[in-house]
Each structure stands twice: as C-alpha cells, then as structure tokens.
Amino acid sequence: MAYLPSKIKSPQSWKNKPQRKKINQTKLFLINLFQKILKKANFAMKISQFLPKRRKGKIDFKKILFYAVVLILIFFLAGSISGLAIFAWFSRELPDPGKILDRQIVQSTKIYDRTGQTILYEIHGDQKRSLIELKDIPEKVKWAAIAIEDKDFYKHHGFDLRGILRAIWVNLARGGKIQGGSTITQQFIKNSILSSEKTYTRKIKELVLSYQMERKFTKDQILQLYFNEIPYGSTAYGIQSAAQTFFGKDAKNLDLAEGALLAALPKAPTYYSPYGSHKEELLGRQKYILDLMVEQGYITKEEAEEAKAIDIMSRIVPRRENILAPHFVMYVKEILTEKYGEKTVDQGGLKVYTTLDLDKQKIAEEAIAKNIEKNVEKYNAYNAALVALDPKTGEILAMVGSKDYFAEPEPEGCKPGLDCRFEPNVNVAIRLRQPGSSFKPIVYAAAFQKGYTPETILFDVVTTFKTETKDYRPNNYDGKEHGPVTMRAALAGSLNIPAVKTIYLAGISNVLDLADKLGYTTLTDRSRFGLSLVLGGGEVKLLEHVAAFGTFANDGSLVKTQVILKVEDGKGKILEEKKHEEKKVFEPQIARQITSVLSDNAARSFIFGSKSPLVLAERPVAAKTGTTNDWRDGWTIGYTPSLVAGVWVGNNDNKEMKRGADGVYVAAPIWNSFMSQALANSPVEQFPAPAPSGATKPILSGKIEGETTVKIDKASGKLATELTPPTFIEEKIYRDLHSILHYVNKDDPNGPYPENPAADPQYTAWEEAVQRWAKEQNYTTETPPTEYDDLHVLSNQPTIKIVSPENNVTWNNRNISVQVQASAPRGLGRVEYFIDGKLLKTVFHYPFNLNTAIPNSFKNGFHALKAVAYDDIDNSNSDEISFNLLAPKLPPSISWLSPRDNSSFYSSFFPLTFEVLISDPEEIAEIHFYYKDSNPHLIGAIFNLSENPLTIKWQDPPEAGTYEIYANIIDKEGNSYQSQKISLTIL
C-alpha cells in the first residue's frame, strides 16, 4: 500500500461503498453527454440563422441543414446510448479501482521436460519490487516512457479513442484479436487488475476501469502507479527494480540511454529482454525512443545522438540462474507470454510440459562443446547452434542456441550485434542466417515436382546467366567444371552451376511457393530473390530449416513444429494440449527422390570422399551441407525417418571464418556426434525407395541426346571389323552436344520438344557454354564414319612357319633354339613366342628366330609352342608345334639393368637405385643385395617378388672406393644361389 499517493483514500473505503456509486457515475456520464448533444444542436440552430431566407422557387438550404443536423444528432444519440448501455453493462461486476492493491496469490510457473519429471526452469512468482516516488525518477527517464507508450498521456481521459479505432481497423484487416492502442492508464489496469488476454470483452472492461481511474487519480498519481507496477521482465516489477536488476543502480541515477532502454522493455519484456535473443531489436527500439523524444521536444538531437553512441549493453549486469536447456526454455517462455501475457506466466503458477528430450539435449550440448574449441582454433568459428526434432510429430527434442548460454561474450566488452563473435544469450536457432547450399534440396524438390528427375542431365560448365539487372556467373566450390552430370550427382556433390540451372528450370516463384508451404517465414519479400537463392541467398531460421527437412523424412508431409505438450493453470485446469497438425506439401515420390539423393554416399564421394562426417556407421541417413560466401556460415542438416537435426556454425557478428571453413568441416562433425549418440540405442530404419521416374525423354533419364559411340580402327580411321585387332580398336564418341533447353520446354519438360529452343532467354548463353567446353575437351562434333576398316584384311595378313624344331620334339635342356620363316605384305614388325599361351619372348629383328631359356615355372611334360607374326599395324598370323620337356631346373639368375657394370658415382648421388630382372620370380622366396670390400655388407633385401623388374635402394654411401655388388638368391625350396657381380666405384 505504501506506493499509493498519500492523498488517495484507502482501498477499504472504496470496497465499503454501495454498488449504486457506479450507477450514479453512469448517470452523471449520461447527463454530461446529453448536455454536450444539446449544445451541439443549439450551435447548429445558431448557424442556420445566418443562412439566407428561401426565395420563391429556390431550395431551402436552411431547412435542409436543420434536418441534416437533427438526423446526425439522432444517430449520435442512439450510438451514445448504445455505448453507455455497453459501458453500464460491463461496469456491473468490475472491481473497484481500489483493487489495485489486492494482489493475487503469486505462484511460480514451472517448465518441465517431456517426461514431466524434470523441471527445466522455475519462473519465480516472488516479484522483485522496490517502490519509488515519481519525483525521484529522472525527468528524461519519465518522458522516455511517455514518448513511446502514450505521448498524449496528459491530454486524454483514460483512453485514446483514435488509437483504439486505429488498432481495431488494423486487427480487423488482419483478422486477429484486438491489440494495441493502449494508454499508460490502460496498461496499468491490465497489469494490476485484469488479465492480458486479447479479447474485445477484456478491452472494454479495461476502458471502463481506465475512465473510472482517471476520475479518481491525478495524472502524476497514475504515472507513479504505472512506474511502480509495470513488468520489465526477469521478475522485475517497477522501474526501481528494473534499474537494480539490469543496471545495478537506483532508478534516480539512470541516465538518458539507460532510461530509453528500460522504456523499450514493457511492450514485450520477454522478447526484448537484455538477456534474450533479440538484443538487436531492443537496441533498435531504444534508438527509436530517443528519436521520438527529439521529435516530441523532450531532448535535443545532440543529446539523442550522444545516448545512442553509448555501449549500453556493456552496462547490463550478467544473469546466472538455475536453468536447464536455457535457450529452449526462453523460447518456450516467449511463446507462453505471447499467449497468456507476462503477468500470467510470471505469477500464474502454470505447469508447462514441453517436448524436450533431456537426454538428447545433453548429447547436443556435449557435441557442440566437444567440437567448438577445434573450430575456434582452426577456423575462427566461435559459435554453434543445434536443433533436433521428430519429423513424425514435429516435436522439438533438443535446442542449443549457442555454445554456452552462461559464458561471457567474445571478445570481452564487445557490442552485441556489432562486433561480438559470440553472444551467449542469443538463440541462433531462431535468428536469420544464410543457409548456403543447404537450401538446394528445396530447389531440387520444386524441380522434381515439375517433372525433372534425379537422372536428368545438366552440363556443369561455367555459364553466364542473363538477368534483368546484370549477368550472373556462379562457380563451383572446387573451382572445376565436371561436364555432363545428373541432378543426383549435382545435388549430392553440391555443385553450384547445375543448381543455378535447376532453380531456373524449376522457376523462382515455384521455389518460393514451396518454401512457403514448408513453413519458411523469412522469404516473403519475393522482389529480393533471384537465381542466387539456390546458393543460400535468402536468410532462414535454423529451426524452420530443420522442420522443412523433416518433411523429406516424413514422406512429404509437414507436421507443425511443437514445443509444448500441455499447459495447466495453478488449479490444474488444462489450458492447452498439443494437437497434431499435419499437411501434405508434396507427393511421397518427391520426398523419396530427395532422400535417395541425400543418402547416396557414392554419389557425393567425388566431392566429399567416401568417409565424410555425413555417414553414420551401418545406418542409412540423408544429409546436406551448406557454406555461405566468404565462409560466414557453415551448415549440416540431416535425418533418418525418426530424427532430423541441423547444425549451424559461425560468428554472431557475421564475421568471416577462415578460408576453407566448409559446412562439412565445421558443422558436420557436431551433427555426426549428435546423431550417432542420439540414435545409438534405436533400431536401424530404412528409407522407402522412390518409384522409377517414368521420364519420356533421354535427357531426363540420364542419357545425353545426340551422342553416338562407335568402334574405330585407329590405323584407317574407319569402322572396325572382326579382323581389326583389339590393339587398334578405340571407342569414339561422336556428339551433337546441346544444353537441356534444346530438348525441353522448361515449364513442361515431359511435353513436346521445343519448336524454337532459342526462344528461351537463357538458351544462347547455355549453348555457348556447352560448345566452348566441348571444344576445350576435344570433343568432336563430326559425324561417325560409314566405311569399314580396309587395312586389316586377309590379304595383308603375314605368313609364318616354324621350321625347327619339328612337331613333338623332346627337349632335354631348357636352353632352346627356334627357327621360323616369316614375311608380310606391309613388312614384318615382330614375332611373339608363347608357351601354353604365356608370352615367353618377343623378337623384333630379322630373321626373328628364338634363342632363350625355358623358365623353371614350366614343369616337365608336353607343352604348346606358338609363334605369332605381326606387321606394323598388328595384322597377324601364327604357327604352333608341341614339345615334350624333360630337363632339369636352371639356377635362378639376375640381369642387372641399372646401374651398369664399372660405373662411377659421387656420394651425393645416394640413395642409389638398383633395377634388376629376375628369372623365374615365382620360384624365388627372397633376395639379399650386398656390396663387398674386404667383407660383405648388406644393402637390403626383397621379400615380395610380385613385380619384375625389381628395384631396391642403397641408402647410405660407403667410403670412397671400388666395390663388388652381387645378390644372394634363395628359392622356395631353401636353395641359395649367388648372382653374377658388377663393379661400382664411389668417388
């Protein structure tokens, strides 16, 4: 009671007065109104006396005016009587204004997790209230509140009729409940006696009580009551408590900048809280108030600019409370206050059961904490946020709005929204950030709806896109061109050029229509967006982005995002319960096509590799990364059929991270850590596969139209025949290459081929890019040959005959000699000798006879010896005999290929490489190499003889001198043989 002005009668005296007092007040109001009406009628009569008298045959304007005035007064009287009747009706059961001191029993509101077992946060009903007299509030602080809340406070009688009519008009136009237009008196009534419900009934009661209060109190008394009653948020009621809570000082010591900031809070204390996610909006409102004060004459322009220049947020006293999942809780509180009002949420004893899964929330917080320091050190990325929800129910299961709600901003003393790389209380999950390539699935879904398919071929070649303003020339992240690619590969590999082509084919308006249906609320100004929208040119909220991806996981149906399961009032009455709201956005086929692409690890491996963080071990998962220009934002969004999660990484002030801070490096590890743990104990779920596309054109089903592959004889350049040897056959692709616009009408891809493709405004530019690329790649556009190979013919085949030894000869020695007679019309090039189909040796010189040793790998017994003669273009012919081998094995040998015998080397040439050719490598187990002066020294050993010739390095040079080099060969039976020696001199 102490905060009431001293001249006001006690509330008890008000309560004891009979009900007829209100009736007398109504009568008095009616009498005053009738007096005003009669005065107006009398004034109208006086005016009529000055009008000219009616002349004969003339219109009597005097009488017309008189009747018009009377008619207007009748309507005015009827309306006034109706209004007074309404006034009297709503006055029947209203409390006396003295009820302002009869405070309701305050109860704390409790916010629970989804189990109802854990309290995430308790909004304490015990208000912080310190009373203050109006004279102790600085004048500029007082006028700051009046300037923004009620500039005509000292002129009206409790309510602003023009403001109310304006608010009614706006709300009727928007189809919502009445709001706005409240005076300071009304705000006091709303917060002290009535609820904050947004109904016309409550508004009328508020007007009645405001009128009554204005009759009882002076303006200064009402203003003092307002400053001591109004909620400023964070349990601070009244300006004295707010000053102590937010600035750690008494209200009498507030300066202009601080007073303007506090004046900004009462409109929506939770939304504008200095501890919340909307600090930029709070600062904007503070500056707006300062401008209003200049406009209304309370301060000078210089004073306003001086106050704006103050880093006011650095003066805010830090807050630390016992709270779990703080960003989620504050998001819930913001929703609650919008529905029920600050007073009910702060004091009404609500029980709020949320959708939060506390286990998943802890996993999310740990995943960010585990990875954020690495991001800071490696990429200058100081913050991260994560949202996870159930795509089948729309329930938010985890929400982390920053790396640490209770940490200090970085760098120390930074200005929020200007140069803070990290702001702890800002919930980035509900702030605007550019999504980069993570928006591409939305664009491809719009294209698939139109008839394009994951197999549709696009040319990934640098292309200049013609727009109404200026030319647009995007590039891929890797700076390369990949030629013809499918939409599957383009989306999976996040290629930019095909993505821009896709949004053109899909249509920007169609993409924005789809975004609206998917629940994006930030892409409404369509004039802002062009082709770059597909690369993340429009800001989105992480929460809405994750929910949109949930539509893909839920077979094309979007479930309304839910944060509250149930709300009970202090008496246990259920105020609201979750309702499942679901709508089909696109057909399941579209969702399954997108999921098929985003879960195809093989399709994205050419960019991301096969073992990227987008893969979950033994569990199908669909995922997409995103990175904005200059690496300001890194994203990863991914899902299974039952869980969808998204991660954002970056800096609050939108400063660039280090070059290379791609979403797959900064965000995907956090996402992978969360998903792996969150799904650890859940069954593996499979995605339903899409049906075949049923595309009607080759270009839509993965085939390049105008492309022909034929086998060509390299010697003649003509079509190969059965006589053309494989060594002279090449497959050659003949292409009449064109962009997709040559084959489809972009708005009806499965319809008829375009009669005039060049009519499309992008056709010329797309064609030029394709032809330029084809030329650079040496793609021929000539027509295939029609004639056949005339060089590989029977008449050009060589002749060959083995003249010695005879057929079925027996060889008792492995050193053999073979003589042949061979010739060819084009000249003989070589003769190849085979034993049992295995090449033994090739002879290139006349008379093409063979002198060699049969390797030990050929066992004793009958074998086939074949000699094949070739000319210069591999026309060939052969002769063959049999022989019986009855010979002992030859000792293994080494042929020194390099270095040569008697070579010299400086020690700077080391390490020195030896290359040797081994006979019968299949029979050898290991080889040891030595150099010898007076004693042998090991150079090295080879145990894997899969290659021939073999190489081994002599690492360290010996002292200057001449050395013998040799090898010790051990076969698989354990026998040891020494090779021939070579001599090397080290200088």
Side-chain angles (χ1 to χ4, degrees):
M1 297 183 190
Y3 69 89
L4 277 173
S6 58
K7 294 182 180 180
I8 300 177
K9 294 181 180 181
S10 70
Q12 190 61 39
S13 66
W14 293 356
K15 293 179 187 176
N16 293 335
K17 287 188 177 182
Q19 181 69 21
R20 67 173 177 270
K21 178 177 179 180
K22 292 179 182 175
I23 300 174
N24 290 336
Q25 289 177 344
T26 304
K27 287 180 179 179
L28 181 61
F29 188 83
L30 284 169
I31 290 170
N32 290 334
L33 181 63
F34 281 126
Q35 288 177 345
K36 291 179 180 179
I37 293 172
L38 290 174
K39 286 180 180 179
K40 290 180 180 179
N42 189 38
F43 178 70
M45 291 298 297
K46 287 180 180 179
I47 292 177
S48 68
Q49 293 175 3
F50 294 97
L51 294 173
K53 300 295 183 179
R54 181 177 69 87
R55 297 177 186 176
K56 187 176 182 180
K58 298 292 184 179
I59 298 175
D60 192 344
F61 288 103
K62 182 176 180 181
K63 184 175 290 186
I64 291 175
L65 176 61
F66 173 76
Y67 286 125
V69 171
V70 171
L71 187 61
I72 290 172
L73 291 176
I74 290 173
F75 280 116
F76 180 77
L77 181 61
S80 300
I81 293 172
S82 300
L84 289 169
I86 293 172
F87 185 94
W89 175 264
F90 283 102
S91 297
R92 291 177 307 131
E93 298 179 356
L94 282 178
D96 193 279
K99 287 289 184 179
I100 56 176
L101 297 184
D102 294 340
R103 310 299 294 165
Q104 68 179 48
I105 298 175
V106 174
Q107 301 180 61
S108 63
T109 288
K110 297 179 176 65
I111 298 178
Y112 295 88
D113 72 343
R114 67 186 299 107
T115 67
Q117 302 299 311
T118 302
I119 296 177
L120 302 176
Y121 182 53
E122 186 170 358
I123 304 173
H124 296 285
D126 53 321
Q127 306 165 18
K128 297 176 183 177
R129 185 192 303 280
S130 299
L131 307 180
I132 189 172
E133 293 188 17
L134 187 63
K135 64 183 179 62
D136 292 327
I137 300 174
E139 283 294 306
K140 290 178 181 177
V141 174
K142 180 180 77 172
W143 291 118
I146 291 174
I148 187 64
E149 295 294 344
D150 190 357
K151 69 175 182 177
D152 296 322
F153 172 68
Y154 282 101
K155 298 178 183 179
H156 62 67
H157 299 289
F159 52 84
D160 179 3
L161 185 59
R162 285 180 300 176
I164 293 172
L165 292 174
R166 183 170 58 251
I168 292 174
W169 173 259
V170 171
N171 284 283
L172 288 174
R174 295 178 180 174
K177 293 183 177 179
I178 187 168
Q179 52 184 312
S182 294
T183 64
I184 282 178
T185 310
Q186 289 175 261
Q187 291 182 51
F188 172 76
I189 291 294
K190 178 177 68 176
N191 284 282
S192 63
I193 298 178
L194 301 177
S195 69
S196 298
E197 62 177 338
K198 295 174 182 177
T199 63
Y200 287 100
T201 300
R202 201 273 304 157
K203 196 71 176 179
I204 294 173
K205 291 179 180 179
E206 179 186 297
L207 296 176
V208 173
L209 281 175
S210 297
Y211 172 76
Q212 293 177 350
M213 187 171 182
E214 289 271 346
R215 292 176 56 80
K216 286 183 175 292
F217 299 99
T218 68
K219 286 291 185 179
D220 283 352
Q221 289 171 339
I222 293 172
L223 192 59
Q224 178 171 312
L225 289 169
Y226 170 84
F227 274 121
N228 280 293
E229 179 71 24
I230 202 74
Y232 286 85
S234 190
T235 72
Y237 284 77
I239 195 167
Q240 173 70 354
S241 177
Q244 293 169 341
T245 298
F246 297 120
F247 294 112
K249 61 170 65 174
D250 291 332
K252 65 181 181 181
N253 297 320
L254 292 170
D255 61 21
L256 175 60
E258 294 165 342
L261 188 84
L262 293 184
L265 295 175
K267 176 178 177 158
T270 297
Y271 181 85
Y272 288 113
S273 171
Y275 303 131
S277 297
H278 305 283
K279 295 177 184 176
E280 293 178 34
E281 290 84 347
L282 171 62
L283 292 173
R285 185 166 169 80
Q286 180 222 29
K287 291 178 173 59
Y288 174 64
I289 290 171
L290 292 169
D291 290 337
L292 283 180
M293 294 180 72
V294 174
E295 181 183 318
Q296 296 172 23
Y298 298 128
I299 60 175
T300 66
K301 178 72 172 176
E302 291 72 21
E303 288 175 309
E305 294 305 317
E306 184 179 343
K308 290 178 185 179
I310 293 173
D311 181 9
I312 191 68
M313 296 306 296
S314 66
R315 300 183 182 182
I316 298 296
V317 176
R319 178 181 72 171
R320 199 167 191 92
E321 299 181 65
N322 184 21
I323 180 172
L324 300 175
H327 290 103
F328 175 81
V329 165
M330 292 306 163
Y331 178 63
V332 172
K333 185 171 184 284
E334 191 173 318
I335 292 174
L336 291 171
T337 54
E338 188 176 341
K339 287 183 180 179
Y340 303 109
E342 296 279 350
K343 179 180 176 183
T344 301
V345 173
D346 288 348
Q347 307 172 26
L350 304 179
K351 289 185 177 179
V352 184
Y353 300 91
T354 70
T355 61
L356 189 85
D357 185 318
L358 196 54
D359 290 336
K360 289 183 173 59
Q361 177 71 19
K362 291 177 180 177
I363 292 171
E365 292 172 356
E366 290 170 0
I368 288 178
K370 184 173 67 174
N371 288 277
I372 194 65
E373 288 309 315
K374 180 179 69 175
N375 282 344
V376 170
E377 294 173 8
K378 194 170 182 179
Y379 297 108
N380 281 345
Y382 283 82
N383 204 3
L386 184 151
V387 169
L389 55 80
D390 183 336
K392 293 183 174 65
T393 65
E395 296 172 5
I396 298 176
L397 304 176
M399 175 185 281
V400 184
S402 76
K403 67 178 180 182
D404 187 348
Y405 183 84
F406 297 109
E408 294 295 325
E410 295 180 40
E412 185 177 353
C414 64
K415 296 180 180 180
L418 297 176
D419 57 5
C420 283
R421 292 170 299 192
F422 164 63
E423 294 181 64
N425 301 147
V426 173
N427 186 356
V428 185
I430 56 174
R431 299 307 294 267
L432 298 183
R433 303 297 303 206
Q434 288 197 348
S437 292
S438 67
F439 192 74
K440 287 176 181 174
I442 313 303
V443 173
Y444 280 88
F448 294 166
Q449 280 185 307
K450 210 170 183 180
Y452 299 95
T453 74
E455 288 68 47
T456 296
I457 295 289
L458 298 174
F459 275 88
D460 177 29
V461 295
V462 175
T463 305
T464 300
F465 294 84
K466 301 296 181 181
T467 69
E468 294 180 357
T469 54
K470 61 179 181 179
D471 290 349
Y472 177 50
R473 192 172 185 177
N475 291 285
N476 290 326
Y477 174 77
D478 61 3
K480 299 178 181 177
E481 297 176 306
H482 300 89
V485 296
T486 63
M487 282 189 173
R488 171 182 294 276
L491 174 56
S494 200
L495 301 178
N496 290 341
I497 300 169
V500 177
K501 291 185 175 182
T502 300
I503 195 172
Y504 176 74
L505 296 172
I508 296 172
S509 61
N510 292 330
V511 171
L512 291 170
D513 287 344
L514 180 57
D516 287 343
K517 294 176 183 177
L518 287 169
Y520 292 97
T521 61
T522 57
L523 304 174
T524 53
D525 185 2
R526 299 193 170 205
S527 63
R528 293 179 51 226
F529 306 119
L531 296 174
S532 64
L533 177 65
V534 70
L535 306 183
E539 296 85 358
V540 302
K541 298 177 181 178
L542 174 61
L543 177 57
E544 294 177 353
H545 206 27
V546 171
F549 270 69
T551 309
F552 299 128
N554 198 37
D555 241 8
S557 293
L558 174 67
V559 182
K560 182 180 179 181
T561 301
Q562 303 282 353
V563 69
I564 294 172
L565 296 176
K566 184 171 66 173
V567 178
E568 297 178 356
D569 67 11
K571 298 179 181 179
K573 178 184 176 183
I574 296 176
L575 300 180
E576 67 171 277
E577 280 190 287
K578 174 201 164 188
K579 293 181 180 179
H580 185 83
E581 298 181 30
E582 185 171 345
K583 66 176 181 179
K584 179 186 284 187
V585 177
F586 36 69
E587 294 298 322
Q589 172 73 354
I590 306 300
R592 293 174 184 182
Q593 286 177 324
I594 294 293
T595 297
S596 173
V597 174
L598 298 185
S599 61
D600 189 344
N601 192 50
R604 62 173 168 246
S605 293
F606 76 106
I607 294 293
F608 295 100
S610 60
K611 296 181 179 179
S612 74
L614 304 179
V615 179
L616 298 183
E618 300 181 2
R619 183 185 293 272
V621 63
K624 183 72 187 75
T625 63
T627 311
T628 55
N629 288 341
D630 302 321
W631 292 276
R632 298 180 190 275
D633 305 86
W635 299 73
T636 296
I637 318 283
Y639 56 90
T640 66
S642 61
L643 181 65
V644 55
V647 175
W648 167 88
V649 171
N651 297 311
N652 284 73
D653 58 2
N654 207 33
K655 290 284 179 59
E656 297 175 12
M657 298 178 282
K658 284 185 180 178
R659 183 177 181 84
D662 190 89
V664 73
Y665 301 124
V666 297
I670 298 173
W671 175 86
N672 186 288
S673 178
F674 170 78
M675 293 290 283
S676 297
Q677 295 181 68
L679 295 167
N681 298 318
S682 62
V684 174
E685 299 173 280
Q686 302 294 329
F687 293 116
S693 65
T696 59
K697 295 178 181 175
I699 195 118
L700 299 177
S701 57
K703 299 174 183 177
I704 300 177
E705 298 195 37
E707 182 176 275
T708 304
T709 301
V710 296
K711 292 182 178 181
I712 301 294
D713 167 42
K714 291 189 288 186
S716 65
K718 300 177 180 179
L719 296 174
T721 68
E722 67 275 6
L723 294 178
T724 307
T727 53
F728 272 74
I729 293 178
E730 67 173 346
E731 284 194 347
K732 196 170 184 180
I733 301 175
Y734 291 87
R735 294 180 173 92
D736 183 18
L737 291 182
H738 296 285
S739 73
I740 190 173
L741 294 176
H742 190 81
Y743 306 105
V744 304
N745 176 339
K746 72 181 183 67
D747 295 321
D748 185 17
N750 282 293
Y753 283 79
E755 293 182 4
N756 180 21
D760 189 291
Q762 295 292 346
Y763 179 83
T764 300
W766 290 27
E767 283 289 299
E768 288 176 352
V770 169
Q771 300 307 324
R772 184 267 309 162
W773 176 84
K775 184 177 180 180
E776 291 175 357
Q777 300 300 317
N778 294 319
Y779 277 20
T780 180
T781 56
E782 62 192 35
T783 57
T786 57
E787 298 179 347
Y788 287 92
D789 177 9
D790 55 4
L791 296 179
H792 296 101
V793 292
L794 291 175
S795 59
N796 280 342
Q797 286 185 348
T799 60
I800 186 170
K801 179 174 178 57
I802 299 175
V803 296
S804 175
E806 296 179 350
N807 192 30
N808 294 321
V809 66
T810 297
W811 276 327
N812 296 313
N813 193 309
R814 289 183 175 268
N815 292 310
I816 64 169
S817 177
V818 179
Q819 296 179 351
V820 296
Q821 289 180 347
S823 64
R826 295 177 59 92
L828 205 59
R830 70 187 185 278
V831 174
E832 294 178 349
Y833 291 90
F834 298 84
I835 294 180
D836 298 337
K838 187 174 183 180
L839 180 64
L840 183 62
K841 191 173 183 180
T842 301
V843 181
F844 295 94
H845 305 289
Y846 180 83
F848 301 102
N849 294 329
L850 174 66
N851 290 285
T852 191
I854 299 177
N856 293 333
S857 57
F858 291 100
K859 308 301 181 184
N860 286 336
F862 280 93
H863 300 277
L865 174 67
K866 183 178 182 180
V868 183
Y870 296 90
D871 65 8
D872 60 326
I873 57 173
D874 283 2
N875 282 310
S876 63
N877 210 336
S878 63
D879 191 20
E880 183 176 325
I881 64 169
S882 294
F883 68 93
N884 185 17
L885 183 62
L886 296 174
K889 288 185 177 180
L890 294 174
S893 64
I894 287 179
S895 299
W896 297 89
L897 301 180
S898 68
R900 294 182 178 180
D901 190 19
N902 296 317
S903 297
S904 298
F905 298 93
Y906 288 99
S907 58
S908 60
F909 283 40
F910 280 74
L912 197 61
T913 301
F914 294 121
E915 184 177 24
V916 297
L917 186 65
I918 310 298
S919 68
D920 293 309
E922 297 88 349
E923 302 293 318
I924 297 174
E926 55 192 86
I927 305 174
H928 298 258
F929 292 83
Y930 297 90
Y931 71 93
K932 184 178 179 181
D933 43 22
S934 57
N935 297 304
H937 303 277
L938 182 66
I939 293 175
I942 298 176
F943 300 93
N944 180 9
L945 280 73
S946 59
E947 296 181 359
N948 199 16
L950 300 173
T951 59
I952 188 169
K953 290 184 181 295
W954 188 1
Q955 295 289 343
D956 300 318
E959 295 180 359
T962 300
Y963 299 90
E964 289 184 339
I965 311 298
Y966 66 92
N968 191 32
I969 306 168
I970 302 173
D971 66 16
K972 292 181 178 179
E973 295 178 358
N975 301 312
S976 179
Y977 306 90
Q978 190 176 93
S979 74
Q980 67 182 55
K981 298 177 181 178
I982 63 172
S983 177
L984 295 181
T985 299
I986 309 301
L987 304 175

